[in-house]
Amino acid sequence: MDVLDLARTQFAATGSLHFLFVLLTLGLAPLVAIMHTRWARTGLPLHERMTRFWGQIYLINYALGIVTGLVMEFQFGLAWSGLSHYAGDVFGAPLAMETLVAFFLESTFLGLWIFGWGRLPKWAHVACIWMVTATAYGSAFFILTANAFLQNPAGAVLSGGRLELTDFGALLTNDALVYAFPHVLGAGLFTGGMVLVGASAYQLRRRTAEVEFFTRSMKTGVITAAIGITVTVMFGYAQFAAGVQPGKFSGNAAAAVPLGFMVEGGHLFSLIVLFFMLPCIRLLPRWRWAHPLLIALTPLPFVLAVLGWLAREIGRQPWMIWERLTVADALTPGLTSGMVTASLAGFTAVLGLLAVVDYVLIARIIRRGPGDDLSLGAAGERRAPALTY
């Protein structure tokens, strides 16, 4: 492989690994917020325990996902300085907003939610997790704004050999953005819902004592997955009709392969979720014969989402910015195969290890079940019992 192919492979590998964390974050954040709201309204211990249990899984995924996101930023300076020079004034603006939203606002509200157990007033505590969800979605919006600019460079003109932003509104209403954003949010909800379904099926098949806990979790996951897959498919097809990059996939066999698997997989999942899981939602928790199938389906939304992302990016080749800047011109001058190979091996090893650690920790929590000894916020409540609600 030459330097260009190595650099593309590096970004594809690190981007795909990071996207695994993003999907689960976008899917679990609103679910945990809904569970916490139910607890605040009803005061039922079941809703409290659901909030703590699924909140732990969200926190593990979020913490490790942050580290993988840093690697993405490094690569723009290391391997793609041509992009930064040519379009940094436009492309960098939404990336900067994403950093401010993700690392400052989202992390701040998440910290308040974690350490606010037993300290904050009830509804202020609920507001924190809803702000975590809102800022997570805001972070995704700005990332997709930057990516949509690469797909369709709206709102910018060439001036002095560099792109200059002239219409910020056009950047935020890009046709490549308005359909992709809900498409990704739908994929996140679908993924988060299927994680609840698979984890609950695992526990119920083991004849757990927490039958009510995981029965309710499974039903929540099925409803969420049904909403998510519907939104994903609807806005997925809407992107084909948007008119951005017409004929994008017709002449690109490399992009057609992941796209075909993603589309057919989406159709199959739609049939399973909407015509089997949703109509049988009351029976699924008791159907032990169906639980191995539900467990086996859990990782597939991650696979389909990565395939979709690869199709979106490969379909733009050979352009880094559509019909403005080629990938070859965006590459940092002076890079050697040895340099890129070393960074590819290092980044992939670190991110791959983080992904393995993430899912091993999540699997351990799911296997252990909703115990009270390590529950989210338990230590804080023991120090301030008078402030619990």
Side-chain angles (χ1 to χ4, degrees), residues 155-196:
V157 297
L158 188 63
S159 177
R162 302 177 63 183
L163 289 180
E164 180 180 298
L165 182 62
T166 58
D167 189 345
F168 189 65
L171 186 69
L172 299 182
T173 57
N174 193 331
D175 286 342
L177 169 66
V178 295
Y179 300 111
F181 181 56
H183 178 68
V184 170
L185 295 189
L189 288 173
F190 175 48
T191 303
M194 288 304 299
V195 167
L196 262 66

Side-chain angles (χ1 to χ4, degrees), residues 64-128:
L64 294 174
I66 285 290
V67 180
T68 64
L70 294 174
V71 176
M72 308 299 297
E73 304 286 349
F74 291 154
Q75 289 178 87
F76 292 122
L78 292 173
W80 306 106
S81 62
L83 171 65
S84 301
H85 174 76
Y86 182 75
D89 293 345
V90 183
F91 183 71
L95 289 182
M97 291 298 297
E98 188 276 335
T99 301
L100 291 172
V101 169
F103 283 93
F104 290 94
L105 285 179
E106 187 177 359
S107 301
T108 298
F109 284 113
L110 186 58
L112 288 171
W113 187 67
I114 294 170
F115 298 107
W117 291 79
R119 294 183 174 89
L120 289 176
K122 176 169 64 174
W123 290 108
H125 197 199
V126 173
C128 287

Side-chain angles (χ1 to χ4, degrees), residues 165-319:
L165 182 62
T166 58
D167 189 345
F168 189 65
L171 186 69
L172 299 182
T173 57
N174 193 331
D175 286 342
L177 169 66
V178 295
Y179 300 111
F181 181 56
H183 178 68
V184 170
L185 295 189
L189 288 173
F190 175 48
T191 303
M194 288 304 299
V195 167
L196 262 66
V197 170
S200 301
Y202 171 78
Q203 281 285 354
L204 291 169
R205 182 164 177 78
R206 295 177 66 195
R207 301 187 187 278
T208 176
E210 302 282 354
V211 175
E212 184 181 6
F213 182 99
F214 286 107
T215 295
R216 189 178 289 267
S217 294
M218 179 178 284
K219 290 179 179 179
T220 301
V222 170
I223 294 171
T224 304
I227 295 171
I229 192 64
T230 302
V231 172
T232 303
V233 171
M234 285 176 53
F235 283 95
Y237 278 109
Q239 291 182 76
F240 288 114
V244 177
Q245 300 178 24
K248 176 177 182 178
F249 300 105
S250 59
N252 194 323
V257 173
L259 180 69
F261 280 109
M262 181 202 66
V263 171
E264 295 305 320
H267 290 163
L268 178 60
F269 251 118
S270 298
L271 294 174
I272 293 174
V273 174
L274 298 178
F275 296 99
F276 170 62
M277 292 169 58
L278 192 60
C280 302
I281 189 171
R282 295 182 181 275
L283 300 173
L284 276 180
R286 299 197 298 269
W287 283 353
R288 296 187 71 249
W289 62 267
H291 295 165
L293 171 62
L294 298 177
I295 296 169
L297 290 176
T298 304
L300 296 185
F302 293 94
V303 175
L304 293 180
V306 170
L307 289 174
W309 191 262
L310 290 175
R312 179 179 175 88
E313 297 303 286
I314 295 173
R316 194 176 66 245
Q317 301 302 316
W319 301 101

Side-chain angles (χ1 to χ4, degrees), residues 31-53 55 113-114 116-127 129-130 216 375-378 381 385 387-389:
L31 293 178
V32 175
I34 291 171
M35 294 172 188
H36 196 162
T37 304
R38 286 176 177 172
W39 173 34
R41 290 182 60 189
T42 65
L44 294 177
L46 176 63
H47 292 148
E48 175 188 5
R49 298 177 71 233
M50 290 179 67
T51 304
R52 293 179 185 275
F53 179 74
W113 187 67
I114 294 170
W117 291 79
R119 294 183 174 89
L120 289 176
K122 176 169 64 174
W123 290 108
H125 197 199
V126 173
I129 189 61
W130 279 110
R216 189 178 289 267
S375 292
L376 179 66
E381 287 189 315
L387 298 181
T388 59
Y389 52 84

